[in-house]
Amino acid sequence: MAGRGPVRGLMAVRAAVLATLAGPLVVLVAVLLVASGLIPVDIGLDLLALKVGPGLSVLAVVVALIALPAAFRSFARLGLIALATLVVAVGGAGAFLWRVQAMAAVGPLDVTTDTADPPRVAGTAGPGTACPGVSAPMTQSAEGAAGWAMQQAGFRITDASLFQIRGERTGTFFGLRHEAVIRIRPGRTDVRVVARYDRADGGETCRLAGALVAALQAGR
């Protein structure tokens, strides 16, 4: 009977550790399955990464809390491990929930620094939307500087001419695609970024437009 306490404590701590690892592992599997084309983004990102992963992370906090009293009966062996597991579980749950909230934010998917006369992007309708705090550099950028800015913002250049640079970007984890164009005119350089998906992205399209403008200003 006396030996059951440490055994139960060890089993509880192991369960807490496994529960803490479950959420990140689900997201990793989702990334790999989407990258290999075995499941669509709707399942990999919307279901596994933004619902199942966060749910498991909250469950991990509950399991770690339950394991803590049992582990403290054998503090020298298990107490510190249980406490560290709880801290990691709480941090992981917080990170998951913050990411879910951030991704739920609906931002514009077609943005430009010139809504009156936006740079042209194939397959788009409408003039595009301005992003708060993102404005066109009031200078004529050199072609080389514009190309450098495109690459700095993570885009692969697909077409380059004297007054226009085009690029594409594929997201690292779930393959969400954006297309961008930098248009160069005397006294002004404009950008346009278009998301090639129809979903909330936490303002990622505006973030990319801001990164392009920042790189243009740094490279001029």
Side-chain angles (χ1 to χ4, degrees):
M1 296 292 292
R4 290 185 180 179
V7 173
R8 288 176 179 173
L10 179 60
M11 293 177 63
V13 171
R14 285 179 175 174
V17 171
L18 291 175
T20 302
L21 294 175
L25 285 176
V26 165
V27 175
L28 176 61
V29 170
V31 169
L32 295 176
L33 291 177
V34 171
S36 63
L38 294 177
I39 60 175
V41 173
D42 289 349
I43 294 178
L45 179 57
D46 296 333
L47 177 60
L48 296 180
L50 297 180
K51 290 183 180 177
V52 175
L56 289 173
S57 72
V58 173
L59 177 63
V61 174
V62 176
V63 174
L65 283 171
I66 294 173
L68 204 57
F72 265 59
R73 295 171 187 170
S74 181
F75 184 82
R77 292 181 55 204
L78 302 174
L80 290 177
I81 298 175
L83 190 59
T85 301
L86 177 60
V87 170
V88 173
V90 170
F96 264 117
L97 296 177
W98 172 84
R99 189 58 182 166
V100 169
Q101 186 177 17
M103 285 295 293
V106 178
L109 301 179
D110 180 1
V111 302
T112 181
T113 55
D114 187 354
T115 56
D117 182 20
R120 293 184 180 180
V121 176
T124 59
T129 304
C131 293
V134 180
S135 57
M138 303 307 290
T139 183
Q140 181 176 343
S141 298
E143 179 187 351
W148 177 85
M150 188 73 79
Q151 293 174 327
Q152 285 296 110
F155 287 85
R156 176 181 60 86
I157 295 175
T158 58
D159 183 63
S161 62
L162 186 59
F163 299 109
Q164 189 167 264
I165 308 290
R166 294 185 179 275
E168 292 181 350
R169 182 182 187 276
T170 301
T172 304
F173 297 110
F174 290 100
L176 299 179
R177 293 179 55 248
H178 289 83
E179 186 173 347
V181 57
I182 298 175
R183 184 184 64 196
I184 304 167
R185 287 180 174 176
R188 182 182 178 118
T189 301
D190 284 291
V191 305
R192 185 174 186 177
V193 181
V194 178
R196 292 308 189 185
Y197 52 82
D198 184 17
R199 50 168 299 115
D201 66 355
E204 178 69 4
T205 307
C206 269
R207 188 195 69 79
L208 290 172
L212 279 172
V213 169
L216 284 168
Q217 291 171 335
R220 63 185 180 185

mmCIF file of all heavy atoms in Angstrom, residues 137-178:
data_model
loop_
_atom_site.group_PDB
_atom_site.id
_atom_site.type_symbol
_atom_site.label_atom_id
_atom_site.label_comp_id
_atom_site.label_asym_id
_atom_site.label_seq_id
_atom_site.Cartn_x
_atom_site.Cartn_y
_atom_site.Cartn_z
ATOM 1 N N PRO A 137 5.715 54.705 -50.334
ATOM 2 C CA PRO A 137 6.912 55.541 -50.266
ATOM 3 C C PRO A 137 6.868 56.586 -51.385
ATOM 4 O O PRO A 137 6.688 56.237 -52.548
ATOM 5 C CB PRO A 137 8.051 54.547 -50.482
ATOM 6 C CG PRO A 137 7.476 53.205 -50.128
ATOM 7 C CD PRO A 137 6.039 53.285 -50.536
ATOM 8 N N MET A 138 7.012 57.835 -51.030
ATOM 9 C CA MET A 138 6.919 58.902 -52.018
ATOM 10 C C MET A 138 8.276 59.130 -52.671
ATOM 11 O O MET A 138 8.901 60.186 -52.560
ATOM 12 C CB MET A 138 6.391 60.177 -51.363
ATOM 13 C CG MET A 138 5.038 59.988 -50.694
ATOM 14 S SD MET A 138 3.781 59.261 -51.798
ATOM 15 C CE MET A 138 3.509 60.640 -52.919
ATOM 16 N N THR A 139 8.718 58.094 -53.360
ATOM 17 C CA THR A 139 9.974 58.136 -54.091
ATOM 18 C C THR A 139 9.934 57.084 -55.185
ATOM 19 O O THR A 139 9.185 56.101 -55.077
ATOM 20 C CB THR A 139 11.171 57.877 -53.157
ATOM 21 O OG1 THR A 139 12.394 57.985 -53.904
ATOM 22 C CG2 THR A 139 11.103 56.479 -52.567
ATOM 23 N N GLN A 140 10.704 57.283 -56.225
ATOM 24 C CA GLN A 140 10.765 56.325 -57.328
ATOM 25 C C GLN A 140 11.865 55.311 -57.014
ATOM 26 O O GLN A 140 13.041 55.593 -57.155
ATOM 27 C CB GLN A 140 11.046 57.029 -58.656
ATOM 28 C CG GLN A 140 11.102 56.063 -59.848
ATOM 29 C CD GLN A 140 11.280 56.797 -61.171
ATOM 30 O OE1 GLN A 140 11.051 57.999 -61.256
ATOM 31 N NE2 GLN A 140 11.676 56.073 -62.202
ATOM 32 N N SER A 141 11.469 54.123 -56.571
ATOM 33 C CA SER A 141 12.450 53.100 -56.220
ATOM 34 C C SER A 141 13.121 52.546 -57.467
ATOM 35 O O SER A 141 12.513 52.464 -58.539
ATOM 36 C CB SER A 141 11.775 51.959 -55.454
ATOM 37 O OG SER A 141 11.214 52.408 -54.242
ATOM 38 N N ALA A 142 14.356 52.151 -57.316
ATOM 39 C CA ALA A 142 15.063 51.485 -58.404
ATOM 40 C C ALA A 142 14.552 50.054 -58.538
ATOM 41 O O ALA A 142 14.055 49.465 -57.574
ATOM 42 C CB ALA A 142 16.560 51.481 -58.132
ATOM 43 N N GLU A 143 14.670 49.489 -59.723
ATOM 44 C CA GLU A 143 14.196 48.119 -59.948
ATOM 45 C C GLU A 143 14.888 47.142 -59.003
ATOM 46 O O GLU A 143 14.259 46.249 -58.429
ATOM 47 C CB GLU A 143 14.438 47.706 -61.404
ATOM 48 C CG GLU A 143 13.993 46.277 -61.699
ATOM 49 C CD GLU A 143 14.399 45.823 -63.099
ATOM 50 O OE1 GLU A 143 14.868 46.655 -63.887
ATOM 51 O OE2 GLU A 143 14.244 44.621 -63.377
ATOM 52 N N GLY A 144 16.179 47.311 -58.836
ATOM 53 C CA GLY A 144 16.923 46.417 -57.950
ATOM 54 C C GLY A 144 16.455 46.513 -56.511
ATOM 55 O O GLY A 144 16.329 45.503 -55.814
ATOM 56 N N ALA A 145 16.175 47.740 -56.057
ATOM 57 C CA ALA A 145 15.689 47.930 -54.689
ATOM 58 C C ALA A 145 14.308 47.316 -54.515
ATOM 59 O O ALA A 145 14.001 46.731 -53.470
ATOM 60 C CB ALA A 145 15.659 49.414 -54.341
ATOM 61 N N ALA A 146 13.461 47.417 -55.534
ATOM 62 C CA ALA A 146 12.122 46.835 -55.459
ATOM 63 C C ALA A 146 12.194 45.309 -55.423
ATOM 64 O O ALA A 146 11.464 44.659 -54.674
ATOM 65 C CB ALA A 146 11.284 47.298 -56.648
ATOM 66 N N GLY A 147 13.082 44.743 -56.220
ATOM 67 C CA GLY A 147 13.267 43.298 -56.198
ATOM 68 C C GLY A 147 13.787 42.818 -54.858
ATOM 69 O O GLY A 147 13.343 41.784 -54.332
ATOM 70 N N TRP A 148 14.720 43.583 -54.295
ATOM 71 C CA TRP A 148 15.256 43.241 -52.975
ATOM 72 C C TRP A 148 14.159 43.298 -51.923
ATOM 73 O O TRP A 148 14.058 42.426 -51.046
ATOM 74 C CB TRP A 148 16.378 44.213 -52.620
ATOM 75 C CG TRP A 148 16.967 44.008 -51.261
ATOM 76 C CD1 TRP A 148 17.954 43.145 -50.910
ATOM 77 C CD2 TRP A 148 16.598 44.705 -50.047
ATOM 78 N NE1 TRP A 148 18.231 43.238 -49.564
ATOM 79 C CE2 TRP A 148 17.407 44.188 -49.011
ATOM 80 C CE3 TRP A 148 15.674 45.711 -49.753
ATOM 81 C CZ2 TRP A 148 17.329 44.649 -47.702
ATOM 82 C CZ3 TRP A 148 15.570 46.160 -48.440
ATOM 83 C CH2 TRP A 148 16.388 45.642 -47.434
ATOM 84 N N ALA A 149 13.299 44.309 -51.996
ATOM 85 C CA ALA A 149 12.196 44.446 -51.049
ATOM 86 C C ALA A 149 11.232 43.267 -51.156
ATOM 87 O O ALA A 149 10.749 42.750 -50.143
ATOM 88 C CB ALA A 149 11.465 45.760 -51.290
ATOM 89 N N MET A 150 10.956 42.840 -52.373
ATOM 90 C CA MET A 150 10.064 41.707 -52.585
ATOM 91 C C MET A 150 10.618 40.453 -51.912
ATOM 92 O O MET A 150 9.895 39.715 -51.221
ATOM 93 C CB MET A 150 9.878 41.474 -54.086
ATOM 94 C CG MET A 150 8.820 40.455 -54.441
ATOM 95 S SD MET A 150 7.116 41.049 -54.191
ATOM 96 C CE MET A 150 6.871 42.055 -55.657
ATOM 97 N N GLN A 151 11.902 40.223 -52.072
ATOM 98 C CA GLN A 151 12.522 39.047 -51.466
ATOM 99 C C GLN A 151 12.608 39.169 -49.951
ATOM 100 O O GLN A 151 12.421 38.183 -49.230
ATOM 101 C CB GLN A 151 13.911 38.832 -52.071
ATOM 102 C CG GLN A 151 13.854 38.437 -53.547
ATOM 103 C CD GLN A 151 15.231 38.371 -54.185
ATOM 104 O OE1 GLN A 151 16.129 39.132 -53.828
ATOM 105 N NE2 GLN A 151 15.399 37.453 -55.113
ATOM 106 N N GLN A 152 12.865 40.367 -49.457
ATOM 107 C CA GLN A 152 12.939 40.577 -48.011
ATOM 108 C C GLN A 152 11.603 40.290 -47.337
ATOM 109 O O GLN A 152 11.562 39.839 -46.181
ATOM 110 C CB GLN A 152 13.364 42.018 -47.703
ATOM 111 C CG GLN A 152 14.835 42.298 -47.931
ATOM 112 C CD GLN A 152 15.736 41.493 -47.007
ATOM 113 O OE1 GLN A 152 16.446 40.585 -47.434
ATOM 114 N NE2 GLN A 152 15.700 41.822 -45.740
ATOM 115 N N ALA A 153 10.522 40.547 -48.036
ATOM 116 C CA ALA A 153 9.188 40.297 -47.485
ATOM 117 C C ALA A 153 8.758 38.839 -47.657
ATOM 118 O O ALA A 153 7.638 38.481 -47.286
ATOM 119 C CB ALA A 153 8.167 41.217 -48.141
ATOM 120 N N GLY A 154 9.638 38.003 -48.211
ATOM 121 C CA GLY A 154 9.357 36.580 -48.333
ATOM 122 C C GLY A 154 8.711 36.150 -49.632
ATOM 123 O O GLY A 154 8.229 35.020 -49.735
ATOM 124 N N PHE A 155 8.713 37.028 -50.639
ATOM 125 C CA PHE A 155 8.098 36.695 -51.922
ATOM 126 C C PHE A 155 9.146 36.186 -52.907
ATOM 127 O O PHE A 155 10.293 36.652 -52.900
ATOM 128 C CB PHE A 155 7.398 37.919 -52.519
ATOM 129 C CG PHE A 155 6.126 38.301 -51.819
ATOM 130 C CD1 PHE A 155 6.153 39.105 -50.690
ATOM 131 C CD2 PHE A 155 4.904 37.843 -52.285
ATOM 132 C CE1 PHE A 155 4.978 39.467 -50.034
ATOM 133 C CE2 PHE A 155 3.721 38.201 -51.636
ATOM 134 C CZ PHE A 155 3.767 39.005 -50.512
ATOM 135 N N ARG A 156 8.721 35.265 -53.744
ATOM 136 C CA ARG A 156 9.553 34.801 -54.852
ATOM 137 C C ARG A 156 9.185 35.614 -56.091
ATOM 138 O O ARG A 156 8.021 35.677 -56.472
ATOM 139 C CB ARG A 156 9.303 33.310 -55.107
ATOM 140 C CG ARG A 156 10.055 32.726 -56.308
ATOM 141 C CD ARG A 156 9.721 31.253 -56.468
ATOM 142 N NE ARG A 156 8.302 31.047 -56.694
ATOM 143 C CZ ARG A 156 7.718 31.091 -57.889
ATOM 144 N NH1 ARG A 156 8.447 31.355 -58.982
ATOM 145 N NH2 ARG A 156 6.419 30.868 -58.002
ATOM 146 N N ILE A 157 10.172 36.247 -56.705
ATOM 147 C CA ILE A 157 9.910 37.096 -57.870
ATOM 148 C C ILE A 157 9.489 36.232 -59.057
ATOM 149 O O ILE A 157 10.168 35.279 -59.429
ATOM 150 C CB ILE A 157 11.154 37.929 -58.225
ATOM 151 C CG1 ILE A 157 11.465 38.903 -57.082
ATOM 152 C CG2 ILE A 157 10.933 38.701 -59.525
ATOM 153 C CD1 ILE A 157 12.744 39.691 -57.286
ATOM 154 N N THR A 158 8.358 36.581 -59.649
ATOM 155 C CA THR A 158 7.849 35.847 -60.809
ATOM 156 C C THR A 158 7.958 36.636 -62.102
ATOM 157 O O THR A 158 7.898 36.060 -63.187
ATOM 158 C CB THR A 158 6.379 35.451 -60.582
ATOM 159 O OG1 THR A 158 5.599 36.635 -60.346
ATOM 160 C CG2 THR A 158 6.253 34.521 -59.382
ATOM 161 N N ASP A 159 8.078 37.962 -61.987
ATOM 162 C CA ASP A 159 8.202 38.794 -63.183
ATOM 163 C C ASP A 159 8.806 40.132 -62.776
ATOM 164 O O ASP A 159 8.474 40.676 -61.722
ATOM 165 C CB ASP A 159 6.825 39.012 -63.829
ATOM 166 C CG ASP A 159 6.928 39.818 -65.116
ATOM 167 O OD1 ASP A 159 7.571 39.334 -66.070
ATOM 168 O OD2 ASP A 159 6.387 40.937 -65.152
ATOM 169 N N ALA A 160 9.711 40.620 -63.594
ATOM 170 C CA ALA A 160 10.374 41.894 -63.279
ATOM 171 C C ALA A 160 10.550 42.700 -64.557
ATOM 172 O O ALA A 160 10.970 42.181 -65.592
ATOM 173 C CB ALA A 160 11.733 41.648 -62.631
ATOM 174 N N SER A 161 10.180 43.964 -64.472
ATOM 175 C CA SER A 161 10.395 44.893 -65.578
ATOM 176 C C SER A 161 10.893 46.202 -64.997
ATOM 177 O O SER A 161 11.110 46.322 -63.785
ATOM 178 C CB SER A 161 9.100 45.097 -66.374
ATOM 179 O OG SER A 161 8.095 45.666 -65.546
ATOM 180 N N LEU A 162 11.052 47.187 -65.846
ATOM 181 C CA LEU A 162 11.645 48.444 -65.407
ATOM 182 C C LEU A 162 10.782 49.146 -64.352
ATOM 183 O O LEU A 162 11.297 49.752 -63.425
ATOM 184 C CB LEU A 162 11.854 49.369 -66.613
ATOM 185 C CG LEU A 162 12.602 50.675 -66.347
ATOM 186 C CD1 LEU A 162 13.991 50.386 -65.786
ATOM 187 C CD2 LEU A 162 12.679 51.496 -67.625
ATOM 188 N N PHE A 163 9.472 49.033 -64.469
ATOM 189 C CA PHE A 163 8.590 49.766 -63.568
ATOM 190 C C PHE A 163 7.647 48.878 -62.753
ATOM 191 O O PHE A 163 6.721 49.380 -62.129
ATOM 192 C CB PHE A 163 7.752 50.784 -64.366
ATOM 193 C CG PHE A 163 8.590 51.803 -65.075
ATOM 194 C CD1 PHE A 163 8.717 51.786 -66.459
ATOM 195 C CD2 PHE A 163 9.274 52.769 -64.352
ATOM 196 C CE1 PHE A 163 9.504 52.726 -67.103
ATOM 197 C CE2 PHE A 163 10.057 53.713 -64.989
ATOM 198 C CZ PHE A 163 10.176 53.696 -66.376
ATOM 199 N N GLN A 164 7.914 47.591 -62.743
ATOM 200 C CA GLN A 164 6.994 46.699 -62.017
ATOM 201 C C GLN A 164 7.679 45.389 -61.637
ATOM 202 O O GLN A 164 8.381 44.796 -62.448
ATOM 203 C CB GLN A 164 5.764 46.411 -62.875
ATOM 204 C CG GLN A 164 4.646 45.685 -62.163
ATOM 205 C CD GLN A 164 3.370 45.713 -62.966
ATOM 206 O OE1 GLN A 164 2.486 46.545 -62.773
ATOM 207 N NE2 GLN A 164 3.256 44.804 -63.908
ATOM 208 N N ILE A 165 7.465 44.951 -60.402
ATOM 209 C CA ILE A 165 7.980 43.677 -59.917
ATOM 210 C C ILE A 165 6.805 42.876 -59.374
ATOM 211 O O ILE A 165 5.984 43.386 -58.600
ATOM 212 C CB ILE A 165 9.013 43.863 -58.775
ATOM 213 C CG1 ILE A 165 10.116 44.838 -59.183
ATOM 214 C CG2 ILE A 165 9.596 42.517 -58.352
ATOM 215 C CD1 ILE A 165 11.052 44.317 -60.229
ATOM 216 N N ARG A 166 6.715 41.613 -59.780
ATOM 217 C CA ARG A 166 5.658 40.738 -59.279
ATOM 218 C C ARG A 166 6.282 39.580 -58.504
ATOM 219 O O ARG A 166 7.377 39.121 -58.826
ATOM 220 C CB ARG A 166 4.795 40.193 -60.429
ATOM 221 C CG ARG A 166 3.986 41.261 -61.142
ATOM 222 C CD ARG A 166 3.065 40.662 -62.197
ATOM 223 N NE ARG A 166 2.289 41.699 -62.857
ATOM 224 C CZ ARG A 166 1.151 42.190 -62.389
ATOM 225 N NH1 ARG A 166 0.638 41.705 -61.266
ATOM 226 N NH2 ARG A 166 0.506 43.142 -63.032
ATOM 227 N N GLY A 167 5.540 39.110 -57.500
ATOM 228 C CA GLY A 167 6.041 37.992 -56.710
ATOM 229 C C GLY A 167 4.929 37.172 -56.094
ATOM 230 O O GLY A 167 3.779 37.608 -56.012
ATOM 231 N N GLU A 168 5.282 35.974 -55.671
ATOM 232 C CA GLU A 168 4.351 35.071 -55.006
ATOM 233 C C GLU A 168 4.978 34.581 -53.704
ATOM 234 O O GLU A 168 6.192 34.448 -53.599
ATOM 235 C CB GLU A 168 4.004 33.874 -55.892
ATOM 236 C CG GLU A 168 3.185 34.225 -57.118
ATOM 237 C CD GLU A 168 2.842 32.995 -57.941
ATOM 238 O OE1 GLU A 168 3.416 31.911 -57.644
ATOM 239 O OE2 GLU A 168 2.019 33.111 -58.866
ATOM 240 N N ARG A 169 4.133 34.316 -52.750
ATOM 241 C CA ARG A 169 4.602 33.816 -51.451
ATOM 242 C C ARG A 169 3.700 32.692 -50.984
ATOM 243 O O ARG A 169 2.477 32.809 -51.026
ATOM 244 C CB ARG A 169 4.595 34.934 -50.408
ATOM 245 C CG ARG A 169 5.109 34.542 -49.038
ATOM 246 C CD ARG A 169 5.003 35.714 -48.079
ATOM 247 N NE ARG A 169 5.617 35.449 -46.805
ATOM 248 C CZ ARG A 169 5.036 34.818 -45.789
ATOM 249 N NH1 ARG A 169 3.782 34.400 -45.936
ATOM 250 N NH2 ARG A 169 5.671 34.622 -44.665
ATOM 251 N N THR A 170 4.295 31.592 -50.558
ATOM 252 C CA THR A 170 3.551 30.469 -50.010
ATOM 253 C C THR A 170 3.891 30.336 -48.537
ATOM 254 O O THR A 170 5.066 30.269 -48.166
ATOM 255 C CB THR A 170 3.904 29.161 -50.750
ATOM 256 O OG1 THR A 170 3.596 29.318 -52.139
ATOM 257 C CG2 THR A 170 3.100 28.000 -50.192
ATOM 258 N N GLY A 171 2.879 30.320 -47.681
ATOM 259 C CA GLY A 171 3.092 30.247 -46.247
ATOM 260 C C GLY A 171 3.890 29.019 -45.848
ATOM 261 O O GLY A 171 3.744 27.941 -46.442
ATOM 262 N N THR A 172 4.717 29.150 -44.833
ATOM 263 C CA THR A 172 5.617 28.084 -44.415
ATOM 264 C C THR A 172 4.874 26.866 -43.913
ATOM 265 O O THR A 172 5.226 25.733 -44.237
ATOM 266 C CB THR A 172 6.561 28.592 -43.313
ATOM 267 O OG1 THR A 172 7.266 29.741 -43.776
ATOM 268 C CG2 THR A 172 7.550 27.508 -42.908
ATOM 269 N N PHE A 173 3.820 27.045 -43.135
ATOM 270 C CA PHE A 173 3.214 25.921 -42.436
ATOM 271 C C PHE A 173 2.018 25.316 -43.168
ATOM 272 O O PHE A 173 1.931 24.111 -43.312
ATOM 273 C CB PHE A 173 2.800 26.352 -41.027
ATOM 274 C CG PHE A 173 3.966 26.769 -40.174
ATOM 275 C CD1 PHE A 173 4.142 28.098 -39.823
ATOM 276 C CD2 PHE A 173 4.898 25.840 -39.756
ATOM 277 C CE1 PHE A 173 5.216 28.490 -39.047
ATOM 278 C CE2 PHE A 173 5.980 26.210 -38.984
ATOM 279 C CZ PHE A 173 6.143 27.534 -38.625
ATOM 280 N N PHE A 174 1.100 26.124 -43.634
ATOM 281 C CA PHE A 174 -0.108 25.576 -44.239
ATOM 282 C C PHE A 174 -0.280 25.984 -45.696
ATOM 283 O O PHE A 174 -1.340 25.773 -46.279
ATOM 284 C CB PHE A 174 -1.335 25.978 -43.414
ATOM 285 C CG PHE A 174 -1.390 25.295 -42.078
ATOM 286 C CD1 PHE A 174 -0.979 25.950 -40.932
ATOM 287 C CD2 PHE A 174 -1.826 23.983 -41.976
ATOM 288 C CE1 PHE A 174 -1.013 25.319 -39.700
ATOM 289 C CE2 PHE A 174 -1.862 23.336 -40.746
ATOM 290 C CZ PHE A 174 -1.457 23.998 -39.610
ATOM 291 N N GLY A 175 0.731 26.578 -46.291
ATOM 292 C CA GLY A 175 0.726 26.829 -47.722
ATOM 293 C C GLY A 175 -0.232 27.893 -48.200
ATOM 294 O O GLY A 175 -0.614 27.892 -49.377
ATOM 295 N N LEU A 176 -0.638 28.826 -47.331
ATOM 296 C CA LEU A 176 -1.525 29.903 -47.765
ATOM 297 C C LEU A 176 -0.747 30.854 -48.681
ATOM 298 O O LEU A 176 0.332 31.319 -48.327
ATOM 299 C CB LEU A 176 -2.071 30.662 -46.549
ATOM 300 C CG LEU A 176 -2.902 29.808 -45.579
ATOM 301 C CD1 LEU A 176 -3.375 30.658 -44.404
ATOM 302 C CD2 LEU A 176 -4.081 29.152 -46.273
ATOM 303 N N ARG A 177 -1.318 31.160 -49.839
ATOM 304 C CA ARG A 177 -0.592 31.879 -50.880
ATOM 305 C C ARG A 177 -1.000 33.349 -50.961
ATOM 306 O O ARG A 177 -2.165 33.698 -50.766
ATOM 307 C CB ARG A 177 -0.805 31.215 -52.247
ATOM 308 C CG ARG A 177 -0.186 29.843 -52.383
ATOM 309 C CD ARG A 177 -0.460 29.256 -53.754
ATOM 310 N NE ARG A 177 -0.010 30.138 -54.824
ATOM 311 C CZ ARG A 177 -0.825 30.775 -55.672
ATOM 312 N NH1 ARG A 177 -2.133 30.644 -55.587
ATOM 313 N NH2 ARG A 177 -0.322 31.544 -56.619
ATOM 314 N N HIS A 178 -0.007 34.184 -51.269
ATOM 315 C CA HIS A 178 -0.238 35.601 -51.562
ATOM 316 C C HIS A 178 0.489 35.968 -52.852
ATOM 317 O O HIS A 178 1.541 35.393 -53.167
ATOM 318 C CB HIS A 178 0.301 36.495 -50.441
ATOM 319 C CG HIS A 178 -0.495 36.438 -49.176
ATOM 320 N ND1 HIS A 178 -0.326 35.450 -48.232
ATOM 321 C CD2 HIS A 178 -1.486 37.252 -48.692
ATOM 322 C CE1 HIS A 178 -1.162 35.648 -47.225
ATOM 323 N NE2 HIS A 178 -1.865 36.735 -47.472
#
